[in-house]
Amino acid sequence: MGFFAFIILGLIAGAIAKAIMPGDQGGGWFVTMILGIVGAVLGGWLGSLLLNVSLGGFFDLRSWLLAIVGSLIVLGIWGAIQGRNRV
C-alpha cells in the first residue's frame, strides 16, 4: 500500500471509529487522520501478532477491519487519558 493510500485509509478508519465510539472525542480532520494512522499501525501489528493476518492492499477488507479495530482501541485509550485530565 502506498503512502497516500495509507493516509486516506487512516482518515476514513479514524472517522468510522469516531462514528462508532459514543461520546464527544473532539479534534478535527487532522486529529482523526492521526488517530486512524496510529490505529491502522496498531491494528496491523495486533493482527499479525495474534491472528497471523497483516495489512493488505487498500481495497482489502482485512486492512479496513484491522485499521478500524485499531482506531477504536486508540480512541478508547485517548478517551481514558482525556477523561482523567478533565478533573
Side-chain angles (χ1 to χ4, degrees), residues 78-87:
W78 178 253
I81 291 171
Q82 272 191 329
R84 192 175 340 140
N85 291 335
R86 286 189 183 173
V87 175

Side-chain angles (χ1 to χ4, degrees), residues 5-77:
F6 197 71
I7 289 176
I8 292 170
L9 172 73
L11 179 61
I12 296 171
I16 291 172
K18 279 188 167 185
I20 292 172
M21 185 78 70
D24 180 30
Q25 292 86 20
W29 67 270
F30 186 73
V31 173
T32 303
M33 182 178 62
I34 297 299
L35 161 82
I37 291 171
V38 172
V41 170
L42 177 66
W45 180 72
L46 287 175
S48 66
L49 183 69
L50 300 175
L51 306 172
N52 201 19
V53 175
S54 62
L55 290 175
F58 183 77
F59 294 106
D60 190 6
L61 181 62
R62 289 179 299 178
S63 297
W64 286 94
L65 291 176
L66 289 172
I68 292 169
V69 168
S71 296
L72 284 169
I73 293 169
V74 171
L75 190 57
I77 293 169

